[in-house]
């Protein structure tokens, strides 16, 4: 090492070092302004949605004739984790999820193969099936959502305003896509009078043929006249509602107008498709998604300018309201984290000034902005944005990045006090500590390896912890051996004493020597006490609350409303409107947005989206503060329990991390749907019996009412009517059938024939529905069929081609989902033993997601252990000493358990990452101490003396670096997301540092059988 000394080279080229310092500082803080800003880190959504429509099919027909064929083919998909589907009357929806270890770059190719494979079997699907329709952009986040409302304006008029705005916003930089929500397609209804068409004997198909022939676009040819080419244009197409009403219909040799037998009018498609309301007013939502790698703050500024300009152009009464404002959320979050970062910097500086002195403290203080600036450059190069994870990682790194600088400055100052000149002191610090520091730094980085290499959604979500901390720590070592010696050379004074003073003979160190001597003498007692504390911490850890990810600190409250299966969208909209009316003028609420028939678009990356259900509505309630959010949640839960018994209502906070949905979930799977249903109800009873569960429910909403038309085939054949013909006529008359298209501008409006709705309010009137015979006459439906009320499954869920039902529950406030799941699972396993062969219960919810994430971390642990052991062997060159250092790694668990129990902090995925990384921090100090002991023995000290004196000399730098790391975590303890990790690291590092200075010397003495000198 004496032949190559970076500190010596730096001091020989001081001007160059100063130049690079200034360049790095300037470039770093200029780069900081260019870093992208987001709420959450980007991670790959490994889910594709596939929707298939088959009008008239029952759920059983959908699952047997459509889903089974599709799912069988989907099982050939590479990296597939599962296919989960549901079948409803006339439609099905499939969720294809890939494994967490699917490489992000491979996902697009997998989705291409899904499309290709399904295309190969499309011909096997029944006639009349529409689709499948694919959506592989399910994870797109629409961070900015605007509501267009206007009293006195129709939905179609608002759509036109919103569509113009969409065109403008698409030209804004960093905008990926813009979608309109709440559009209600217009329709020209032809409401037929059943008595008139029965009297005249008119087949509705005749009306369809007339309208199609009159409105079809056909070439009329052209004429070549001399030098001109003249296209012929034939008029007479349908151009208005009146022209449709005046269409001639021939019946029994007579020609009448369509308006003679039907009421022709313009309206909206019924039932509605996807309703949207803002503050109780119907409107159109405009949702904006950002391109990958964009800056949400800059996009927000651009959108504000554009929307302000658009607002100024709108007519009086039309307003644009901001529903979701992710740029503001991100700005507030970044500002809050920067405040926490500044607090952490201040804390570290105070520790440095108090413990090292003014000049030494200034040397450490100057290294902090230098390391941060260079870290910002690294983040910019590796495309790491400022977001929830990277900002927290910066604060974690801050407590660690000063370690090397403190060790180097402390060593340099000690040598100056002993009479060394500045250059000798600086170069000695490199010779004595540079490589143990590097080993310790790399071990600390290796502690974060499981975060960086975990193959799961949670691992990808938290990857920037590893990236940012790793960058900062490696850079901090370079700063400590190149720039810190230069700063110390400039600022630290040479000792004026002519003799080499022993700074370690002060009273404090004398008392510490006596304590160490006692620990070495009674080494077995020290080791037994430590072992007992460790065993107690393991036993006590089961009492620490468990979680996956904590709730978000965003102000939104999400309300889910589920009506009974078979409820109309009108009933759902009515229920949502009633709830909004009850919440009007609530002092806790800023505004309310309602989505009917489908959930909110993904305005927040971890949002758990609900899709396509007429009996479902979702309210997004923006509260005024976190206190208002909590107060409103209590009010809503009371309201749902006392005043909305017929609706399954749920009010929740937004989640952090990958979306989970209900925190407690168990699913039952087996070959027979009815048995699965029966077992699911038994599971629900067990879950309701647990006092910690709330809102226990199944992901099916019971059976739906149906009207069964039982056709007498003999009578039907006698009049020349088939089952399909009867179905077609009933569908046309009741639901309506698009007979033709009316073109208006850029819109194609369906012309839909149906029976006048006033005639079919009562199902009993179905018996009088006219059915056309072979002779052209009509007979009532009752002559060929009987009509009765029945029931069928409203929704059938499947998982990997097997019937499945999930039983779900929320939990009481103050509890954690994994703990409640652990309470319930043994009772469900006992129930499972009573099931026939082929039926099983699987764990879901937070516990399942947490387990998958923990497994992905555990898979990387052997690699982490290999890297750590290799680094220790390279530094220590001894199996015994390497093993000694490894034995100190789990000691942090003593402090972790103690602190988490005392402060009642939950142990979740993020806290687990902190505990794993804590092992690296502990071993960093251990390797430096063990290496120092070995150096002293090589220099001629007795082993006893070397253990004591090395520990005395390493006491101050070890305690200072630990204090800096511990105290720098204080700002993070206020964070809902980072708090548990901060508490875990603080408690674990504090206890482990004390044990490193007391237990490790005793363990070393016991291992090598070091005897006390006589």
């Amino acid at each position: 090492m004496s032949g190559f000394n970076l500190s010596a080279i730096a001091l020989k080229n001081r001007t160059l070092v100063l130049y690079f310092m200034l360049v790095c500082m300037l470039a770093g803080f200029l780069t900081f302004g260019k870093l992208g800003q987001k709420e959450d880190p980007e991670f790959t959504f490994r889910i594709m949605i596939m929707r298939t429509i088959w009008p008239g099919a029952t759920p059983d027909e959908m699952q047997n004739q459509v889903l089974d064929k599709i799912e069988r083919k989907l099982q050939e998909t590479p990296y597939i984790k599962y296919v989960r589907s549901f079948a409803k009357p006339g439609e099905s929806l499939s969720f294809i999820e890939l494994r967490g270890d699917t490489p992000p770059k491979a996902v697009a190719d997998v989705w291409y193969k899904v499309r290709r494979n399904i295309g190969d079997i499309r011909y096997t699907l029944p006639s009349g099936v529409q689709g499948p329709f694919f959506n592989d952009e399910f994870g797109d986040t629409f961070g900015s959502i605007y509501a267009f409302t206007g009293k006195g304006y129709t939905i179609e008029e608002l759509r036109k305003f919103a569509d113009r705005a969409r065109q403008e916003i698409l030209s804004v930089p960093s905008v990926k896509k813009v979608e309109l929500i709440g559009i209600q397609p217009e329709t020209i209804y032809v409401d037929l009078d059943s008595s008139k068409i029965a009297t005249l004997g008119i087949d509705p198909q005749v009306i369809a043929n007339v309208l199609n022939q009159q409105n079809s676009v056909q070439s009329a040819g052209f004429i070549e006249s001399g030098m001109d080419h003249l296209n012929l244009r034939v008029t007479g197409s349908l151009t208005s509602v009146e022209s449709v009403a005046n269409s001639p219909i021939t019946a029994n040799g007579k020609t009448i107008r369509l308006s003679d037998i039907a009421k022709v009018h313009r309206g909206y498609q019924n039932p509605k498709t996807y309703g949207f309301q803002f503050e109780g007013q119907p409107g159109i939502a405009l949702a904006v998604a950002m391109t990958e790698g964009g800056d949400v703050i800059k996009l927000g500024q651009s959108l504000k300018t554009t929307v302000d300009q658009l607002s100024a152009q709108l007519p009086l009464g039309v307003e644009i309201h901001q529903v979701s404002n992710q740029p503001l959320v991100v700005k507030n979050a970044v500002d809050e984290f920067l405040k926490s970062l500044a607090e952490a910097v201040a804390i570290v500086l105070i520790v440095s000034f108090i413990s090292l002195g003014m000049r030494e403290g200034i040397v450490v203080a100057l290294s902090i902005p230098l390391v941060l600036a260079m870290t910002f450059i690294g983040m910019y190069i590796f495309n790491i944005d400022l977001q929830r994870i990277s900002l927290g990682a910066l604060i974690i790194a801050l407590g660690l990045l000063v370690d090397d600088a403190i060790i180097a400055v402390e060593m340099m100052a000690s040598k100056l006090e002993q009479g060394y000149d500045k250059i000798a002191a600086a170069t000695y610090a490199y010779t004595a500590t540079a490589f143990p520091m590097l080993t310790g730094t790399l071990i600390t980085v290796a502690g974060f390896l499981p975060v960086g290499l975990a193959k799961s959604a949670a691992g990808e979500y938290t990857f920037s912890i590893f990236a940012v901390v790793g960058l900062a720590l490696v850079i901090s070592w370079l700063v400590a051996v190149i720039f810190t010696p230069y700063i110390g050379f400039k600022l630290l004074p040479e000792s004026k004493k002519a003799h080499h003073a022993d700074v370690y003979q002060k009273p404090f160190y004398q008392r510490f020597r006596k304590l160490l001597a006692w620990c070495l003498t009674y080494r077995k007692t020290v080791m037994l006490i430590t072992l007992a504390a460790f065993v107690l911490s393991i036993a006590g850890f089961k009492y620490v609350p468990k979680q996956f990810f904590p709730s978000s600190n965003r102000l939104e409250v999400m309300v889910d409303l589920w009506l009974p299966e078979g409820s109309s969208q009108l009933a759902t909209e009515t229920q949502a409107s009633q709830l909004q009316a009850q919440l009007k003028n609530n002092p806790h609420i800023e505004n309310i947005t309602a989505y009917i028939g489908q959930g909110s678009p993904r305005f927040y990356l971890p949002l758990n989206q609900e899709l396509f259900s007429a009996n479902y509505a979702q309210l997004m309630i923006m509260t005024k503060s976190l206190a208002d959010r909590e107060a409103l949640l209590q009010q809503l839960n009371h309201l749902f329990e006392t005043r909305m018994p017929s609706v399954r209502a749920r009010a929740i906070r937004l989640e952090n991390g990958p979306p989970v949905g209900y925190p407690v979930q168990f699913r039952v799977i087996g070959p027979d749907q009815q048995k699965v249903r029966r077992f699911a109800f038994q599971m629900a009873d067990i879950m309701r019996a647990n006092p910690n569960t709330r809102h226990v429910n199944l992901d099916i909403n019971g059976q739906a009412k149906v009207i069964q038309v039982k056709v007498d085939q003999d009578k039907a054949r006698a009049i020349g009517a088939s089952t399909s013909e009867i179905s077609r006529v009933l569908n046309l008359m009741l639901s309506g059938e698009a007979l033709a298209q009316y073109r208006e501008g850029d819109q194609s409006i369906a012309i839909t024939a149906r029976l006048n709705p006033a005639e079919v309010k009562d199902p009993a009137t179905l018996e009088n529905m006219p059915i056309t015979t072979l002779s052209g006459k009509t007979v009532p439906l009752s002559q060929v069929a009987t009509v009765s009320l029945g029931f069928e499954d409203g929704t059938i869920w499947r998982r990997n081609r097997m019937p499945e039902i999930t039983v779900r529950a929320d939990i009481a406030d103050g509890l954690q989902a994994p703990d409640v799941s652990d309470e319930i699972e043994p009772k469900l396993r006992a129930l499972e033993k009573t099931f026939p062969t082929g039926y099983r219960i699987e764990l879901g919810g937070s516990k399942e997601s947490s387990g998958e994430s923990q497994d992905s971390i555990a898979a990387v642990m052997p690699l982490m252990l290999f890297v750590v052991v290799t680094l220790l062997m390279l530094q220590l060159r001894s199996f015994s000493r390497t093993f000694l250092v490894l034995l100190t790694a789990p000691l942090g668990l003593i402090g972790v358990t103690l602190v988490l129990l005392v402060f009642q902090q939950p142990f979740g995925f993020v806290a687990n990452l902190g505990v794993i990384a804590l092992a690296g921090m502990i071993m960093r100090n251990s390797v430096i101490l063990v290496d120092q002991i070995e150096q002293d023995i090589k220099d001629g000290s007795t082993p006893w003396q070397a253990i004591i004196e090395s520990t005395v000399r390493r006491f101050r730098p070890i305690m200072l670096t630990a204090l800096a790391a511990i105290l720098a975590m204080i700002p993070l303890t206020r964070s809902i997301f980072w708090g548990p990790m901060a508490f875990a690291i603080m408690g674990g590092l504090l206890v482990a540092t004390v044990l490193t200075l007391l237990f490790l010397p005793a363990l070393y003495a016991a291992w090598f059988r070091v005897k006390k000198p006589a």
Side-chain angles (χ1 to χ4, degrees):
M1 282 187 288
S2 58
F4 180 79
N5 191 310
L6 278 174
S7 300
I9 294 171
L11 292 176
K12 287 178 183 177
N13 299 277
R14 293 192 284 275
T15 304
L16 201 57
V17 169
L18 176 61
Y19 167 75
F20 281 117
M21 276 181 60
L22 295 174
V23 167
C24 288
M25 291 279 282
L26 180 63
F29 289 100
L30 286 176
T31 301
F32 178 78
K34 295 184 178 181
L35 291 175
Q37 299 184 50
K38 293 184 177 67
E39 185 173 9
D40 289 282
E42 292 175 346
F43 66 90
T44 307
F45 260 78
R46 295 173 172 85
I47 297 177
M48 174 187 261
I49 306 296
M50 187 167 60
R51 189 183 190 196
T52 310
I53 297 173
W54 187 13
T58 67
D60 273 333
E61 289 170 333
M62 284 300 305
Q63 73 161 335
N64 294 327
Q65 296 296 317
V66 177
L67 277 180
D68 197 63
K69 296 174 182 178
I70 289 174
E71 290 171 344
R72 189 184 298 121
K73 193 65 178 177
L74 287 175
Q75 287 180 321
E76 301 173 9
T77 305
Y79 298 109
I80 192 166
K81 180 180 178 183
Y82 65 78
V83 179
R84 188 166 188 256
S85 308
F86 69 71
K88 301 180 78 169
E91 69 172 317
S92 68
L93 199 68
S94 298
F95 300 82
I96 305 109
E97 181 165 345
L98 304 182
R99 299 196 309 266
D101 61 352
T102 309
K105 292 182 179 178
V107 171
D109 185 54
V110 172
W111 298 149
Y112 167 75
K113 290 177 180 176
V114 167
R115 284 183 166 90
R116 186 187 64 194
N117 289 347
I118 296 302
D120 290 343
I121 59 125
R122 187 174 272 116
Y123 74 94
T124 67
L125 300 179
S127 174
V129 169
Q130 301 168 20
F133 306 103
F134 303 93
N135 178 9
D136 58 2
E137 297 181 337
F138 185 56
D140 283 350
T141 302
F142 296 90
S144 296
I145 302 177
Y146 301 89
F148 285 72
T149 62
K151 290 183 179 179
Y153 289 87
T154 65
I155 290 294
E156 176 60 19
E157 288 170 331
L158 293 174
R159 182 202 66 80
K160 291 177 179 177
F161 295 133
D163 194 49
R164 289 185 210 131
R166 177 181 179 274
Q167 292 303 112
E168 291 291 328
I169 290 174
L170 278 170
S171 64
V172 173
S174 295
V175 170
K176 176 183 179 181
K177 66 163 70 169
V178 181
E179 291 190 358
L180 300 184
I181 298 163
I183 295 174
Q184 302 303 322
E186 285 193 295
T187 298
I188 295 177
Y189 282 111
V190 178
D191 292 343
L192 300 170
D193 186 314
S194 61
S195 61
K196 290 181 179 178
I197 62 173
T199 301
L200 295 172
I202 298 175
D203 186 345
Q205 189 60 45
V206 173
I207 301 172
N209 294 338
V210 168
L211 293 175
N212 265 320
Q213 290 168 7
Q214 187 166 349
N215 206 42
S216 64
V217 176
Q218 301 241 353
S219 172
F222 61 88
I223 296 175
E224 294 282 355
S225 176
M227 301 298 290
D228 295 324
H229 177 94
L230 304 174
N231 289 311
L232 274 65
R233 298 288 182 250
V234 179
T235 64
S237 297
L238 303 175
T239 58
S240 65
V241 174
E242 289 74 17
S243 64
V244 175
N246 291 330
S247 298
I249 305 295
T250 301
N252 298 324
K254 297 180 180 179
T255 300
I256 60 174
R257 296 178 186 274
L258 181 58
S259 58
D260 293 334
I261 58 170
K263 178 185 176 183
V264 182
H265 63 99
R266 188 167 181 160
Y268 292 107
Q269 178 177 303
N270 185 34
K272 293 181 178 179
T273 51
Y274 185 6
F276 172 81
Q277 296 176 354
F278 179 78
E279 292 286 67
Q281 291 186 60
I284 298 292
L286 183 147
V288 183
M290 184 176 70
T291 55
E292 187 174 340
D295 186 326
V296 72
I297 301 292
K298 292 178 181 175
L299 175 60
Q301 293 167 348
S302 301
L303 286 175
K304 185 179 186 308
T305 302
T306 304
V307 170
D308 286 346
Q309 292 172 352
L310 290 168
S311 296
Q313 300 168 12
L314 293 174
L316 189 65
V318 178
E319 297 178 325
I320 303 178
H321 315 270
Q322 182 118 30
V323 172
S324 177
N325 190 351
Q326 192 182 51
L328 180 61
V329 173
V330 172
K331 183 180 183 303
N332 292 338
V334 171
D335 289 347
E336 185 64 30
F337 266 106
L338 291 178
K339 178 186 172 185
S340 297
L341 186 63
E343 291 173 359
V345 169
I347 290 169
V348 171
L349 291 179
I350 291 169
V351 171
S352 303
F353 287 132
I354 291 176
S355 56
L356 294 174
M358 182 58 68
R359 286 177 178 265
E360 290 87 346
I362 292 173
V363 176
V364 173
L366 290 175
S367 70
I368 294 174
L370 185 57
V371 174
L372 287 176
M374 294 170 72
T375 303
F376 294 149
I377 296 172
M379 290 173 65
Y380 182 78
I381 292 171
F382 292 107
N383 295 316
I384 302 172
D385 299 317
L386 293 176
Q387 26 79 358
R388 186 194 313 276
I389 305 299
S390 63
L391 285 166
L394 279 172
I395 297 175
I396 294 170
L398 185 65
L400 303 173
L401 61 83
V402 295
D403 288 7
D404 290 341
I406 288 176
I407 292 170
V409 170
E410 195 275 339
M411 178 64 74
M412 190 174 176
S414 297
K415 292 305 169 185
L416 287 172
E417 289 181 26
Q418 293 175 17
Y420 281 57
D421 63 51
K422 290 184 178 182
I423 291 181
T427 54
Y428 179 85
Y430 180 88
T431 303
T433 63
F435 283 90
M437 280 195 314
L438 178 59
T439 303
T441 297
L442 294 178
I443 287 172
T444 306
V445 173
F448 289 90
L449 263 179
V451 189
L453 301 182
K455 302 297 184 184
S456 67
E460 190 177 350
Y461 181 78
T462 54
F463 170 79
S464 48
I465 297 178
F466 166 72
V468 172
V469 172
L471 268 174
L473 291 183
V474 172
I475 290 169
S476 72
W477 181 83
L478 291 172
V479 169
V481 298
I482 296 174
F483 297 111
T484 300
Y486 169 79
I487 301 171
F489 178 84
K490 290 292 186 180
L491 295 181
L492 297 183
E494 289 186 357
S495 175
K496 296 181 180 178
K497 298 179 182 179
H499 60 281
H500 300 299
D502 191 349
V503 296
Y504 299 110
Q505 295 302 324
K506 295 178 180 179
F508 172 81
Y509 289 113
Q510 292 289 2
R511 289 192 291 272
F512 184 56
R513 277 190 181 87
K514 291 179 182 178
L515 178 60
L516 279 173
W518 185 90
C519 290
L520 296 186
T521 303
Y522 299 98
R523 62 193 72 169
K524 291 183 181 178
T525 303
V526 172
M527 291 164 62
L528 283 173
I529 291 172
T530 304
L531 180 62
F534 181 69
V535 171
L536 280 174
S537 70
I538 294 175
F541 194 75
K542 67 180 180 180
Y543 299 106
V544 174
K546 310 297 190 302
Q547 69 175 190
F548 182 35
F549 278 92
S551 297
S552 170
N553 60 353
R554 286 186 58 141
L555 302 181
E556 293 92 342
V557 170
M558 306 304 294
V559 175
D560 293 337
L561 300 176
W562 286 97
L563 274 67
E565 197 70 60
S567 298
S568 68
Q569 188 152 329
L570 176 61
T572 307
E573 184 174 345
T574 301
Q575 192 68 61
S577 298
Q578 289 175 357
L579 179 57
Q580 291 179 79
Q582 291 179 59
L583 296 175
K584 193 174 183 180
N585 300 321
N586 188 299
H588 304 299
I589 296 176
E590 190 72 38
N591 57 60
I592 302 176
T593 306
Y595 301 90
I596 294 107
Q598 187 173 331
S600 164
R602 193 183 301 279
F603 64 89
Y604 170 67
L605 186 61
L607 183 70
N608 191 49
Q609 255 185 306
E610 293 285 352
L611 301 174
F612 313 122
S613 287
N615 61 327
Y616 173 76
Q618 186 173 62
L619 273 61
M620 193 278 284
I621 305 176
M622 178 64 73
T623 61
K624 296 178 180 178
S625 67
L626 283 176
D628 287 307
R629 183 188 75 175
E630 297 306 307
L632 180 65
L633 280 168
Q634 294 204 2
Q635 291 180 5
L636 286 170
N637 286 326
H638 178 72
L639 175 68
F640 296 157
E641 291 170 5
T642 58
R643 301 176 64 179
M644 298 177 66
S646 63
V647 178
R648 195 178 82 212
R650 179 188 187 221
I652 56 169
R653 308 168 186 88
L654 291 173
E655 303 176 50
N656 271 320
V660 172
Y662 278 85
V664 175
Q665 297 182 32
F666 292 91
R667 53 183 173 266
V668 57
I669 301 173
D672 183 75
Q673 178 69 27
Q674 298 308 315
K675 287 183 179 178
V676 167
R677 178 190 294 274
R678 187 171 75 250
F679 297 149
F681 281 117
Q682 294 173 5
M683 292 165 60
D685 290 338
I686 292 174
M687 291 172 66
R688 287 191 187 98
N690 186 291
N692 298 321
T693 58
R694 302 287 186 272
H695 315 132
V696 177
N697 66 88
L698 280 59
D699 61 357
I700 58 171
N701 281 334
Q703 292 192 306
K705 296 177 184 177
V706 294
I707 296 175
Q708 295 175 337
V709 179
K710 296 180 181 179
V711 177
D712 186 319
Q713 297 297 330
D714 292 334
K715 292 180 179 179
R717 278 193 292 271
I719 66 169
S722 65
T723 298
S724 62
E725 178 64 17
I726 293 172
S727 297
R728 187 190 69 79
V729 171
L730 290 175
N731 179 65
L732 186 150
M733 302 293 276
L734 300 174
S735 301
E737 183 176 319
L739 305 180
Q741 294 285 332
Y742 163 64
R743 294 174 291 278
E744 183 178 81
D746 62 346
Q747 301 292 303
S748 293
I749 301 173
I751 301 173
T752 302
R754 65 181 181 181
L755 199 62
N756 193 320
E759 296 187 37
V760 287
K761 288 183 178 179
D762 185 353
T765 60
L766 288 176
E767 295 181 345
N768 300 321
M769 201 67 59
I771 303 297
T772 304
T773 66
L774 275 175
S775 63
K777 296 181 179 180
T778 60
V779 297
L781 178 63
S782 58
Q783 286 195 15
V784 294
T786 58
V787 179
S788 61
L789 190 65
F791 294 89
E792 69 178 12
D793 289 327
T795 303
I796 297 175
W797 279 99
R798 295 158 57 95
R799 190 181 184 92
N800 293 331
R801 299 180 62 207
M802 293 281 280
E804 174 231 45
I805 295 177
T806 301
V807 188
R808 314 172 297 184
D810 284 316
I811 55 176
D813 283 341
L815 299 176
Q816 300 299 333
D819 296 332
V820 178
S821 296
D822 287 341
E823 294 172 5
I824 296 170
E825 188 170 11
K827 296 178 181 178
L828 292 181
R829 294 302 171 199
L831 174 66
E832 184 182 32
K833 291 178 181 178
T834 67
F835 292 172
T837 303
Y839 295 85
R840 65 185 185 277
I841 294 175
E842 292 183 355
L843 179 66
S846 294
K847 187 74 186 291
E848 179 189 35
S849 298
S850 179
E852 291 173 353
S853 300
Q854 304 293 4
D855 290 345
S856 70
I857 289 176
V860 189
M861 292 297 286
L863 175 63
M864 169 195 159
L865 188 62
F866 167 74
V867 172
V868 168
V869 172
T870 302
L871 289 168
L872 289 173
M873 288 297 295
L874 288 172
Q875 179 61 43
L876 301 173
R877 312 293 175 94
S878 164
F879 284 104
S880 296
R881 289 187 284 275
T882 295
F883 186 67
L884 281 178
V885 172
L886 288 173
L887 282 178
T888 64
L891 296 180
L893 187 62
I894 301 171
V896 169
T897 302
L898 179 64
V899 168
L900 292 182
L901 283 173
V902 169
F903 291 95
Q904 277 301 290
Q905 293 291 312
F907 183 80
F909 182 76
V910 179
N912 186 38
L913 300 181
V915 171
I916 294 171
L918 178 64
M921 302 177 200
I922 296 167
M923 287 187 287
R924 171 198 180 97
N925 288 331
S926 299
V927 73
I928 293 175
L929 178 56
V930 170
D931 184 77
Q932 186 68 57
I933 294 171
E934 292 303 311
Q935 285 188 32
D936 282 8
I937 292 173
K938 287 180 183 178
D939 290 341
S941 298
T942 64
W944 183 277
Q945 183 184 16
I947 294 171
I948 292 179
E949 294 304 317
S950 295
T951 308
V952 167
R953 286 200 303 279
R954 302 316 308 157
F955 175 85
R956 186 162 75 158
I958 286 175
M959 285 303 297
L960 289 182
T961 54
L963 278 175
I966 291 167
L967 297 178
M969 295 286 172
I970 290 175
L972 283 182
T973 58
R974 300 192 300 265
S975 167
I976 296 174
F977 187 87
W978 293 103
M981 175 192 259
F983 276 106
I985 291 177
M986 291 170 73
L989 191 55
L990 178 62
V991 172
T993 300
V994 173
L995 291 177
T996 299
L997 294 168
L998 300 178
F999 167 74
L1000 182 58
L1003 181 64
Y1004 189 99
W1007 186 274
F1008 291 104
R1009 299 176 182 176
V1010 176
K1011 296 182 180 179
K1012 184 177 181 180

